Amino acid sequence: MIFKRVGDGRPYPEHGLTSKAWATVPPRQVRLDQLVTTKDTLHLDTLLDEDSTFYGDLFAHVVEWRGEFYLEDGLHRALRAALQQRNVLHARVHPVAG
């Protein structure tokens, strides 16, 4: 299995981070098998698009809440890593209290 679990939605409370605020969170490595997705679908054109990160953050966004790591943004990056047989993803991890 690639991910710890495939979820549908964000179970954690709203964190209020803007794109600019996410950019201040330093990236670190996260194992794919520790991630719970917040989306259960992916558009194939996004996965295959070479410029898919051109306008977005280069790193995935992960929310740490209650001991779980939720992949909030960057599902296509995570799947690309898995297809390249990598078991880690560089992500910005934001802890949320609760």
Side-chain angles (χ1 to χ4, degrees):
M1 180 165 234
I2 297 171
F3 301 113
K4 182 175 184 176
R5 193 168 63 251
V6 175
D8 182 22
R10 302 173 183 174
Y12 49 86
E14 180 61 40
H15 51 69
L17 266 89
T18 63
S19 295
K20 189 173 183 177
W22 271 109
T24 66
V25 177
R28 69 180 218 207
Q29 289 187 351
V30 179
R31 290 183 53 86
L32 293 176
D33 61 4
Q34 292 179 323
L35 294 173
V36 177
T37 69
T38 59
K39 299 174 186 169
D40 62 359
T41 58
L42 173 75
H43 294 282
L44 190 57
D45 59 339
T46 302
L47 178 65
L48 300 176
D49 186 4
E50 290 182 16
D51 294 330
S52 65
T53 59
F54 185 76
Y55 293 106
D57 195 340
L58 293 177
F59 302 102
H61 296 172
V62 173
V63 172
E64 182 181 2
W65 184 63
R66 295 186 176 173
E68 301 270 26
F69 293 93
Y70 293 93
L71 181 60
E72 181 173 284
D73 183 47
L75 181 57
H76 60 289
R77 290 177 189 86
L79 285 174
R80 276 188 186 169
L83 289 171
Q84 294 170 353
Q85 298 182 353
R86 293 184 283 138
N87 59 0
V88 295
L89 175 70
H90 286 86
R92 300 182 191 278
V93 179
H94 174 68
V96 172

